[in-house]
Amino acid sequence: MTRPILLASASVHRARMLEAAGIAFEVRASSLDERAMEAPLKETGVSPDDLAAILAEAKAVSVSEGAPGAVVVGADQTLSFKGEVLHKPDTMEAARRQLLRLSGETHRLHSAAVIAEDGVSVWRHVETVSITFRQLDPAFVGEYLASVGEAALTSVGAYQIEGRGIQLVERIDGDFFSIVGLPLLPLLAALRERGAIDG
């Protein structure tokens, strides 16, 4: 008998990936303040991939502590660009500036997944993907943001690769699922190994 799977993330994109894969799960988003947790970590010089893993683990463990017997999946994603970690823009103007900054450049997305059981982290994986944007015309960026609206504010980088955001991209080196926000294939393998899903 498989154990209940909880997704410690409010991300619609992550939930859709698990649903599309046929995984039965319940969303139980962590209430942790990621930005508050991140501030002291950045002062230690933590790498962007380790930062994603630490935040994903904190979410998974915090939910797992209140859900004995469940398999809890935590996830987080960071975007690194020229030595800086960029976050979700908080306004459409910030989104516009961020997209123009990434124009014609390569950035990296670090997508982490962690499994926790009974308050303990038992598995973690980080996948890094390099994405190169084409040279973007400022008028196109304005049109793009007008078409996607507030959705631009829900992702690091201000784009969703599975939607119109693909038009910003010239090249991808890495895993598609990790760009969307979850290293899905390694996660499914880990869930099978732990008996959380059949197969």
Side-chain angles (χ1 to χ4, degrees):
M1 181 177 174
T2 58
R3 289 171 289 162
I5 297 172
L6 304 180
L7 177 62
S9 169
S11 166
V12 172
H13 307 295
R14 292 182 182 121
R16 283 180 183 156
M17 276 193 281
L18 291 178
E19 286 168 358
I23 305 302
F25 68 97
E26 176 188 331
V27 173
R28 196 172 297 180
S30 166
S31 60
L32 294 178
D33 184 338
E34 296 170 48
R35 297 290 78 83
M37 288 181 57
E38 183 178 333
L41 289 171
K42 286 175 75 173
E43 294 177 10
T44 69
V46 65
S47 66
D49 55 338
D50 280 342
L51 177 60
I54 290 167
L55 293 173
E57 183 170 307
K59 294 177 195 176
V61 169
S62 70
V63 170
S64 178
E65 286 172 341
V71 176
V72 179
V73 177
D76 200 85
Q77 187 180 64
T78 59
L79 186 157
S80 59
F81 177 64
K82 295 186 175 180
E84 184 182 347
V85 173
L86 304 185
H87 298 107
K88 296 175 186 176
D90 52 7
T91 66
M92 295 302 279
E93 174 57 24
R96 186 188 71 82
R97 288 196 307 267
Q98 191 173 90
L99 289 173
L100 289 173
R101 188 177 174 199
L102 298 174
S103 172
E105 302 276 4
T106 298
H107 62 274
R108 305 182 91 197
L109 287 174
H110 312 273
S111 187
V114 171
I115 295 174
E117 297 174 358
D118 300 317
V120 178
S121 171
V122 296
W123 177 87
R124 70 156 62 179
H125 181 85
V126 181
E127 194 83 29
T128 297
V129 182
S130 294
I131 299 174
T132 302
F133 272 15
R134 64 186 181 85
Q135 197 68 45
L136 301 175
D137 180 86
F140 176 79
V141 170
E143 292 167 9
Y144 163 75
L145 289 173
S147 71
V148 301
E150 299 287 312
L153 309 182
T154 65
S155 298
V156 294
Y159 64 93
Q160 285 87 35
I161 206 83
E162 68 276 20
R164 193 167 181 209
I166 192 64
Q167 291 195 38
L168 308 171
V169 175
E170 180 176 281
R171 177 182 172 130
I172 294 170
D173 293 302
D175 175 56
F176 172 82
F177 297 112
S178 294
I179 301 172
V180 181
L182 199 61
L184 186 59
L185 297 178
L187 174 62
L188 292 176
L191 290 172
R192 281 191 294 268
E193 287 171 8
R194 307 199 71 78
I197 61 176
D198 294 329

